[in-house]
Amino acid sequence: MRLEPNFEDQRLLPILDKVRAGRRLAFEDGLALYHSRDILAIGYMANIVRERLHGNVTFFNVNRHINPTDVCVASCRLCAFGKKARDPKAYTMSLEQVWEVAGKGYSEAATEFHIVGGLHPELTLDWFCQMLRGLKQRYPQVHLKAFTMVEIAYLAKRQKIGIRETIERLRDAGMDSMPGGGAEIFSERVRRIICDHKIDGNEWIDVARIAHQVGLKSNCTMLYGHIETAGDRVDHLLKLRSLQDETHGFVTFIPLAFHPDNTPLQHIAKTTGFDDLKNIAVSRLMLDNIPHIKAYWVMMTPRIAQIAQRFGADDIDGTVVEEKIYHDAGATTSQSLRRGSLLQLIRAAGREPVERDTLYRPVERTETAFTVLV
Ligand code: V47
């Protein structure tokens, strides 16, 4: 028998009724949740949904991020990672370097490479296909989660071919699924200010739809904590929810807090733990058709990511090994966590850790080898 917290904010009671009955929340419910300060009530409701879906389990993986280049033709104000080719600090790896970096890090065998980078004006679709083939050849068991919808749209445009053909060629070369980045926030008003060089929200959704139609799964994200309104956030979540009704291709949603350091928007205050937990909880409540909500520890700190496991999240991400996008924007978290530390964090939150592969199949392992249980 669950003991209920006192709902300080009585306006949330109709939402509690819907959550208990498993009914879909509406735009106005999302707004009421974002406008409420009753974080315990919001977390309590999100935890009901989270435990209904995943019981006491928290998922994690042993992964490695690879960013082949930070050269980017776009100059998004939100970003501290992308550099112009002439910038002395910019880098682009050779294919051999990508393949070599992939094998570096911990002795624990990674089950996933998470591969994203800038919009490089010269690297071709063929170069990326070779990169994927080389990775598959050297690390045949590792799942390649690669390229945001934004990178796909850019490669298609440069190659002067369609999105579908671009995705199919990358898939045939070894791309197994796609990460959720680049979605930012779909509001055109906000995008004009924070990322006006990127594809617009409708294009992001269109690329995701095509990826799902050709049989690939992907993640999805929302960047919050800059100049967006509560309405913009709810609108973003509902657009993802409605694509998911159509394709069922999203696996995990990751709310991403804006990190302002070293960006042209550095005057914007950083998000607080309160905001971060609320975004986890509201997304769990609104996205009733997306199986997993990830509390990305690099972005929100391991401490908050741990508490998030009681506010709607069922995933904490992985070992990561080398993170650049958030660290260029001032993240003070470490760049990596050992598998043992992830186990400890999850257990200390009273949850049962389950190592997963990218598609959430449980993994059994020794340090240097693993088996995906199907
Ligand atoms: O696409 C860029 C965002 C994303 C900043 O799919 C910034 O499993 C905050 O998408 N402050 C990359 N955010 C991270 C990402 C991700 C991370 C972990 C797991 C998965 C997954 C995806 O980070 C970018 C952009 O949306 N970003 N700059 C910044 N200054």
Side-chain angles (χ1 to χ4, degrees), residues 63 65 77-81 112 114 116 145 148 150 178-184 198 218-224 252 254 256-263 294 296 298-299 317 320 323 325-326 328-330 356 358 360:
N63 64 348
H65 283 208
R77 287 197 187 91
L78 70 92
C79 183
F81 172 73
E112 170 191 284
H114 172 136
V116 294
K145 184 180 81 182
T148 63
V150 179
M178 296 165 67
E184 321 312 359
K198 250 183 203 162
S218 82
N219 290 342
C220 52
T221 56
M222 173 177 79
L223 188 74
Y224 65 91
T252 306
I254 311 123
L256 295 171
F258 176 55
H259 280 41
D261 289 355
N262 307 319
T263 77
K294 184 186 285 186
Y296 181 39
V298 172
M299 172 274 290
D317 205 72
V320 179
E323 202 287 331
I325 297 176
Y326 270 86
D328 282 357
R356 59 164 177 87
T358 310
Y360 287 81

Side-chain angles (χ1 to χ4, degrees), residues 72-231:
C72 191
V73 295
S75 304
C76 299
R77 287 197 187 91
L78 70 92
C79 183
F81 172 73
K83 318 248 176 339
K84 292 293 158 245
R86 61 176 180 277
D87 185 329
K89 290 201 278 310
Y91 73 89
T92 300
M93 296 180 192
S94 64
L95 286 172
E96 288 70 23
Q97 282 171 328
V98 173
W99 298 330
E100 195 196 328
V101 149
K104 284 196 177 146
Y106 298 143
S107 51
E108 290 143 357
T111 62
E112 170 191 284
F113 295 144
H114 172 136
I115 309 166
V116 294
L119 307 180
H120 194 291
E122 274 150 28
L123 296 181
T124 59
L125 179 58
D126 190 49
W127 189 91
F128 284 107
C129 288
Q130 275 192 62
M131 179 190 82
L132 294 168
R133 277 194 216 99
L135 286 170
K136 276 289 175 205
Q137 209 175 26
R138 287 163 181 80
Y139 312 95
Q141 273 198 297
V142 181
H143 180 111
L144 304 182
K145 184 180 81 182
F147 311 114
T148 63
M149 309 306 160
V150 179
E151 291 169 86
I152 298 288
Y154 182 66
L155 279 173
K157 189 169 125 193
R158 285 206 40 236
Q159 195 73 27
K160 299 192 174 60
I161 58 173
I163 301 285
R164 186 177 298 266
E165 189 181 344
T166 306
I167 295 176
E168 282 171 349
R169 280 169 63 175
L170 290 165
R171 180 199 60 192
D172 295 346
M175 172 172 74
D176 294 305
S177 73
M178 296 165 67
E184 321 312 359
I185 195 116
F186 294 140
S187 151
E188 286 314 312
R189 176 191 66 82
V190 178
R191 280 183 105 79
R192 271 199 292 279
I193 297 166
I194 67 165
C195 58
D196 58 341
H197 300 106
K198 250 183 203 162
I199 52 173
D200 67 25
N202 291 329
E203 287 169 305
W204 191 97
I205 290 278
D206 286 344
V207 179
R209 178 184 290 108
I210 295 170
H212 298 169
Q213 282 169 351
V214 306
L216 291 174
K217 297 285 184 189
S218 82
N219 290 342
C220 52
T221 56
M222 173 177 79
L223 188 74
Y224 65 91
H226 39 88
I227 54 163
E228 84 289 2
T229 62

Side-chain angles (χ1 to χ4, degrees), residues 293-327:
I293 304 289
K294 184 186 285 186
Y296 181 39
W297 65 263
V298 172
M299 172 274 290
M300 54 170 33
T301 76
R303 285 161 185 253
I304 302 283
Q306 195 184 30
I307 302 170
Q309 302 307 316
R310 302 234 152 230
F311 278 74
D314 61 281
D315 193 297
I316 198 160
D317 205 72
T319 44
V320 179
V321 182
E322 196 180 6
E323 202 287 331
K324 294 188 201 294
I325 297 176
Y326 270 86
H327 285 83

Side-chain angles (χ1 to χ4, degrees), residues 26-68:
F27 183 88
E28 291 68 31
D29 298 321
L31 274 188
L33 289 163
Y34 272 125
H35 287 142
S36 171
R37 287 165 181 273
D38 196 350
I39 189 77
L40 290 182
I42 298 168
Y44 170 77
M45 292 189 286
N47 194 50
I48 293 178
V49 178
R50 184 258 193 245
E51 289 188 353
R52 193 183 285 151
L53 289 169
H54 306 293
N56 201 35
V57 163
T58 286
F59 296 98
F60 72 99
N61 73 349
V62 174
N63 64 348
R64 195 200 201 289
H65 283 208
I66 306 172
N67 306 117

Side-chain angles (χ1 to χ4, degrees), residues 275-348:
D275 285 338
D276 295 340
L277 287 174
K278 195 195 262 190
N279 272 285
I280 289 281
V282 176
S283 51
R284 180 61 289 165
L285 288 165
M286 298 306 293
L287 298 175
D288 55 8
N289 53 2
I290 298 190
H292 301 280
I293 304 289
K294 184 186 285 186
Y296 181 39
W297 65 263
V298 172
M299 172 274 290
M300 54 170 33
T301 76
R303 285 161 185 253
I304 302 283
Q306 195 184 30
I307 302 170
Q309 302 307 316
R310 302 234 152 230
F311 278 74
D314 61 281
D315 193 297
I316 198 160
D317 205 72
T319 44
V320 179
V321 182
E322 196 180 6
E323 202 287 331
K324 294 188 201 294
I325 297 176
Y326 270 86
H327 285 83
D328 282 357
T332 53
T333 47
S334 113
Q335 284 209 321
S336 61
L337 279 179
R338 302 294 305 237
R339 182 174 182 277
S341 309
L342 290 167
L343 289 172
Q344 229 171 8
L345 274 174
I346 296 168
R347 289 199 181 111

